[in-house]
Amino acid sequence: MSVAATSLDIAEHPLVVWNGQHGLPDFDRIDESDFEPAFEVALEAHRRDIEAIANDPEAPTVENTLAAMELSGKPLARVSSIFWVLAGAHTSDVIQALERKIAPRMSRHFSAIHMDEKLFARIDALYRERDGLDLDAETARVLEKTWKRFVKAGAQLGAVEKERLAAINEELAGLGTRFGQNVLADEKDWVLFIAESDLRGLPEFLRDAMAEAASSRGRQGSYAVTLSRSIYEPFMAFSTRSDLREKAFAGFTGRGRNGGDSDNAQVVARTLALRAEKARLLGYRTYAEFKLDDTMAKTPEAVMRLLEPVWEKAVARVAADASEMRAIAAEEGNNRDMDAWDWRHYAEKLRLRKHDFDEAQLKPYLQLDRIVAASFDVANRLFGLNFEELSGISAWHEDVRVFEVKNADGSHRAIFLADYFNRPTKRSGAWMTGLQSGYGLGDGQSPIIVNVMNFAKPAIGQPALLSMDEARTLFHEFGHALHGMLSDVTWPSISGTSVARDFVELPSQLYEHWLTVPQIIRKHAVHYRTGEPMPDALLEKMLAARNSNVGFATVEFASSALVDMAYHSEPEAPEDPLSFEAQTLDRLGMPKAIAMRHATPHFLHVFSGDGYSAGYYSYMWSEVLDADAFAAFEETGDHFDTELAEKLRRHIYAAGGSRDPEELYKAFRGRLPSPDAMMGKRGLA
């Protein structure tokens, strides 16, 4: 039962006082109608906290200013964390309406904090006196990062410029919300129902997933192609019907580009214009320079020095693969040019021809529950963690699973919640977030970490089967989760994944490597019917074929990263972003038969919020690090070398943002990497 919103007491409300089992929110006592009044009260409480710090008559100290700020606003943090989990993983009309209201409101709230002259004066005084304060290294870094955050948020601007910047940030927050909701609307509304006679070429696992997707939409006896990658990508690979592949491709690439209410063209144009204006207000030539100022890359030029050589090698590989695929198509009597909806289909045939291997052979061995167990097994071998599934605990949806995470000595480490299956109320993709981070300041708190996926839900009584790409995605997001769960810092603002954007993907991408080490894949990849382990011959084929379509995958990714950098490297934003995208791809020589992984109208990383704007390159930047980091384990001859695993835990997974990322990486590896290991990993060396 919901607590009455009209008599909301923030000190007692279940959105703030988490009295559920294991310190979780009691979701049974939370209703959508609770959020708006809770936000109002929590925002006001946080404003009062900040006002008290800013007006403190005592001289500023680390305790009464920096620590007080870090610990302020806990009710707002708790209300927000639950709300944003629901907004992504289980939304509704009520949640979306409030999201459109609250995102700009939150932006205005935090702009006011960062532009508060009295508050910044206290931070500035501490920063100027820092060398004489005898600060430990972590506190010194938090003070520096806090000062820089205030400056980049406009603390040193004049009154007129501050007001304009606050207005820009508020409008950008609303645009990001609108962009994401438009994409979700298109994904939710699009479905292609087909009959059994249209299933030629589709393996059993895909037929079952499509039948379940149709049944969940009230079409028993039919089959549904949806825009979930768990269905869309294997359908594009296995369907022999080019006409149906074309329809699915049009739906997938047309998200946010439909000319209707959910069209994102003008949202993007306005977003880019505001970002460019924001950069100029803050003294930067371009938005890319603004965003990269506090990253490992530092400059757009450094990003391009990474992306351009990779792009050239990938395009050359695509040309070679396309020639071989056209030959296969010609053998089938298809002599037309290859279209974008043909690529995955013929790439699968080329892989089968070269390696005698296709995804349908592999998938029966990749049960979701066993891959989850594999991810836990690796965490136990590397870091001594143990995972116990908890029953009878409610969350935001019945599919959510809850685990207690314990250290090797049996002490509590974290709570982990996993929400694996696709549904219309969930935005696409996969991500890690948290209900709360772990830190030691004040009374401290332990992490409550969340992973969200979009795997196809199986029929009742059937196991969920994953592709190898989906299994890697699970390991990837669990790597992010470990970054949050293993965090061992004092200060909240540098906990867990609060690191430079082009460093944050290192723990996640590195973790993917352990999926296919022999001790793990042989133990956990067992056939869902027979229980037999994956045959060595099939494993060897899978490993041999893993780079068979690397040109396509690299062009898909790199084109998105290059367009992102192009958008944000212009002093003046393009008036017509879609024309700018087309011109950029033409200049790059984008292969005709490949589409960007994230075309502009549905590029959620870049336009649904600001997280990866001028930052999508960071996956590849981190890939340079992860390839080199895993090579360190290979060099020892033991994928779970105890001494190296402890260095990995201490300097990468537990350190958060407590030190500069270059310093952290060198503490682990002894040096910085070159791109060679990454190029070799992708088979592009």
Side-chain angles (χ1 to χ4, degrees):
M1 175 183 288
S2 165
V3 174
T6 54
S7 58
L8 188 142
D9 180 355
I10 203 71
E12 301 292 336
H13 198 278
L15 280 170
V16 174
V17 181
W18 293 359
N19 286 329
Q21 296 180 58
H22 297 274
L24 285 163
D26 185 350
F27 283 93
D28 289 337
R29 299 182 62 223
I30 294 170
D31 188 83
E32 292 174 341
S33 64
D34 297 337
F35 281 107
E36 187 164 11
F39 267 119
E40 291 298 325
V41 177
L43 282 162
E44 176 59 22
H46 191 208
R47 188 195 64 76
R48 289 196 303 269
D49 288 348
I50 295 299
E51 189 176 72
I53 298 167
N55 293 318
D56 190 336
E58 298 293 328
T61 65
V62 168
E63 290 73 23
N64 70 20
T65 301
L66 193 64
M69 279 180 52
E70 293 258 333
L71 294 173
S72 68
K74 189 167 184 176
L76 180 60
R78 289 199 153 186
V79 174
S80 297
S81 66
I82 299 174
F83 179 78
W84 293 114
V85 166
L86 265 63
H90 194 44
T91 192
S92 67
D93 290 343
V94 172
I95 293 291
Q96 289 194 332
L98 181 55
E99 190 181 2
R100 292 190 292 272
K101 290 174 64 176
I102 205 64
R105 175 75 186 277
M106 293 280 280
S107 174
R108 176 68 71 169
H109 173 76
F110 284 102
S111 287
I113 291 173
H114 289 120
M115 294 176 187
D116 186 303
E117 293 183 4
K118 291 181 180 179
L119 183 62
F120 179 64
R122 298 179 70 85
I123 295 294
D124 191 47
L126 290 173
Y127 184 67
R128 284 187 282 106
E129 298 165 6
R130 63 192 182 281
D131 292 339
L133 296 178
D134 193 27
L135 303 177
D136 63 80
E138 184 180 322
T139 302
R141 181 162 173 81
V142 170
L143 176 57
E144 179 183 15
K145 288 175 70 69
T146 301
W147 185 86
K148 288 182 176 179
R149 184 171 69 250
F150 270 70
V151 171
K152 290 188 77 172
Q156 294 181 319
L157 295 178
V160 174
E161 289 79 10
K162 282 182 177 179
E163 183 56 34
R164 178 58 190 150
L165 182 58
I168 288 172
N169 289 336
E170 185 173 359
E171 187 175 355
L172 282 171
L175 289 167
T177 296
R178 182 177 163 194
F179 184 96
Q181 291 187 358
N182 284 347
V183 175
L184 177 61
D186 283 1
E187 290 172 344
K188 183 174 65 174
D189 292 345
W190 193 94
V191 63
L192 175 63
F193 291 107
I194 60 178
E196 189 167 3
S197 58
D198 298 322
L199 300 179
R200 291 199 306 273
L202 303 188
E204 182 182 4
F205 75 81
L206 182 55
R207 294 180 181 217
D208 290 345
M210 291 169 60
E212 176 62 24
S215 178
S216 69
R217 288 163 172 79
R219 292 284 293 267
Q220 286 78 9
S222 187
Y223 298 83
V225 182
T226 71
L227 299 184
S228 165
R229 286 187 183 272
S230 294
I231 289 178
Y232 170 79
E233 289 186 354
F235 180 81
M236 298 299 286
F238 293 112
S239 175
T240 61
R241 291 279 301 276
S242 178
D243 59 327
L244 296 179
R245 296 200 307 267
E246 182 178 3
K247 289 180 180 179
F249 178 82
F252 193 80
T253 58
R255 292 170 295 160
R257 193 198 299 249
N258 52 48
D261 291 341
S262 58
D263 191 282
N264 271 328
Q266 291 306 309
V267 176
V268 170
R270 183 62 177 161
T271 297
L272 291 172
L274 290 171
R275 286 175 178 172
E277 183 184 355
K278 176 177 178 176
R280 291 192 298 271
L281 266 175
L282 292 167
Y284 294 87
R285 191 181 71 88
T286 69
Y287 196 71
E289 292 177 2
F290 165 73
K291 283 300 295 287
L292 292 170
D293 187 37
D294 193 29
T295 62
M296 291 187 75
K298 300 293 191 293
T299 67
E301 292 76 20
V303 173
M304 297 307 290
R305 285 196 296 271
L306 170 67
L307 292 177
E308 286 176 341
V310 175
W311 174 259
E312 291 171 5
K313 289 181 182 255
V315 169
R317 176 63 65 85
V318 162
D321 288 348
S323 178
E324 293 187 78
M325 287 190 284
R326 278 194 296 270
I328 294 174
E331 292 172 11
E332 298 176 351
N334 178 8
N335 292 303
R336 61 179 171 78
D337 287 341
M338 189 173 300
D339 289 305
W341 50 88
D342 296 324
W343 187 281
R344 290 183 185 275
H345 182 70
Y346 285 105
E348 186 65 27
K349 291 191 172 186
L350 180 61
R351 180 166 63 172
L352 182 61
R353 177 168 296 189
K354 281 189 166 184
H355 302 285
D356 189 26
F357 168 78
D358 66 37
E359 193 71 33
Q361 295 174 298
L362 189 64
K363 200 156 186 173
Y365 295 92
L366 300 177
Q367 302 170 63
L368 171 61
D369 284 352
R370 296 305 298 257
I371 299 303
V372 171
S375 70
F376 293 170
D377 189 359
V378 173
N380 176 262
R381 295 175 189 233
L382 287 173
F383 307 125
L385 299 180
N386 293 289
F387 296 79
E388 178 186 345
E389 186 157 14
L390 306 173
S391 60
I393 298 179
S394 64
W396 54 91
H397 190 273
E398 61 185 11
D399 288 342
V400 178
R401 299 168 66 180
V402 183
F403 301 85
E404 184 180 10
V405 187
K406 295 182 179 180
N407 295 307
D409 63 4
S411 60
H412 177 80
R413 161 56 55 182
I415 294 294
F416 174 59
L417 298 97
D419 186 357
Y420 291 121
F421 296 123
N422 174 257
R423 53 181 172 267
T425 58
K426 183 189 289 186
R427 69 173 170 85
S428 63
W431 63 94
M432 167 267 188
T433 186
L435 286 172
Q436 68 182 30
S437 61
Y439 57 81
L441 191 66
D443 294 334
Q445 62 183 29
S446 60
I448 302 177
I449 304 300
V450 178
N451 269 175
V452 183
M453 315 286 174
N454 267 285
F455 304 139
K457 191 170 184 177
I460 295 174
Q462 295 297 312
L465 302 178
L466 306 182
S467 68
M468 179 53 70
D469 185 60
E470 289 171 327
R472 287 195 185 97
T473 295
L474 188 148
F475 262 63
H476 178 102
E477 298 304 334
F478 190 69
H480 280 309
L482 286 172
H483 201 182
M485 289 187 278
L486 287 168
S487 184
D488 187 15
V489 299
T490 299
W491 293 85
S493 64
I494 56 167
S495 176
T497 57
S498 298
V499 300
R501 180 60 63 186
D502 50 12
F503 191 72
V504 76
E505 296 298 336
L506 168 60
S508 55
Q509 292 179 183
L510 174 59
Y511 206 72
E512 294 177 38
H513 290 265
W514 275 282
L515 171 61
T516 52
V517 302
Q519 301 101 303
I520 298 302
I521 197 74
R522 289 195 173 104
K523 177 180 177 181
H524 296 283
V526 299
H527 199 283
Y528 77 101
R529 283 179 175 159
T530 67
E532 292 296 313
M534 182 187 295
D536 286 346
L538 180 57
L539 175 60
E540 289 166 7
K541 287 178 185 179
M542 183 270 291
L543 294 174
R546 61 185 164 186
N547 285 331
S548 62
N549 200 24
V550 70
F552 169 85
T554 306
V555 164
E556 238 197 350
F557 167 83
S559 59
S560 299
L562 286 162
V563 167
D564 170 38
M565 287 305 299
Y567 275 139
H568 296 102
S569 296
E570 296 290 326
E572 298 290 338
E575 294 182 5
D576 184 348
L578 300 190
S579 294
F580 182 87
E581 176 194 87
Q583 292 162 9
T584 301
L585 294 176
D586 185 61
R587 173 176 54 80
L588 290 169
M590 179 75 170
K592 173 179 173 290
I594 300 181
M596 294 167 63
R597 183 168 182 82
H598 303 288
T600 296
H602 54 262
F603 205 162
L604 291 163
H605 285 78
V606 170
F607 294 109
S608 181
D610 191 43
Y612 283 86
S613 59
Y616 192 64
Y617 78 90
S618 59
Y619 288 94
M620 188 166 287
W621 188 276
S622 291
E623 191 176 347
V624 173
L625 301 174
D626 81 65
D628 180 70
F630 191 70
F633 282 90
E634 293 180 316
E635 289 162 10
T636 70
D638 179 1
H639 291 116
F640 299 97
D641 181 85
T642 303
E643 182 179 347
L644 194 57
E646 173 54 25
K647 290 175 70 176
L648 180 66
R649 183 201 64 78
R650 186 167 68 253
H651 299 302
I652 304 298
Y653 283 92
S658 61
R659 293 155 69 190
D660 181 270
E662 287 191 9
E663 185 183 339
L664 288 172
Y665 190 82
K666 286 191 285 188
F668 162 68
R669 188 66 161 112
R671 56 166 174 76
L672 289 175
S674 77
D676 296 343
M678 181 271 289
M679 297 285 264
K681 170 191 166 188
R682 283 184 173 252
L684 294 173

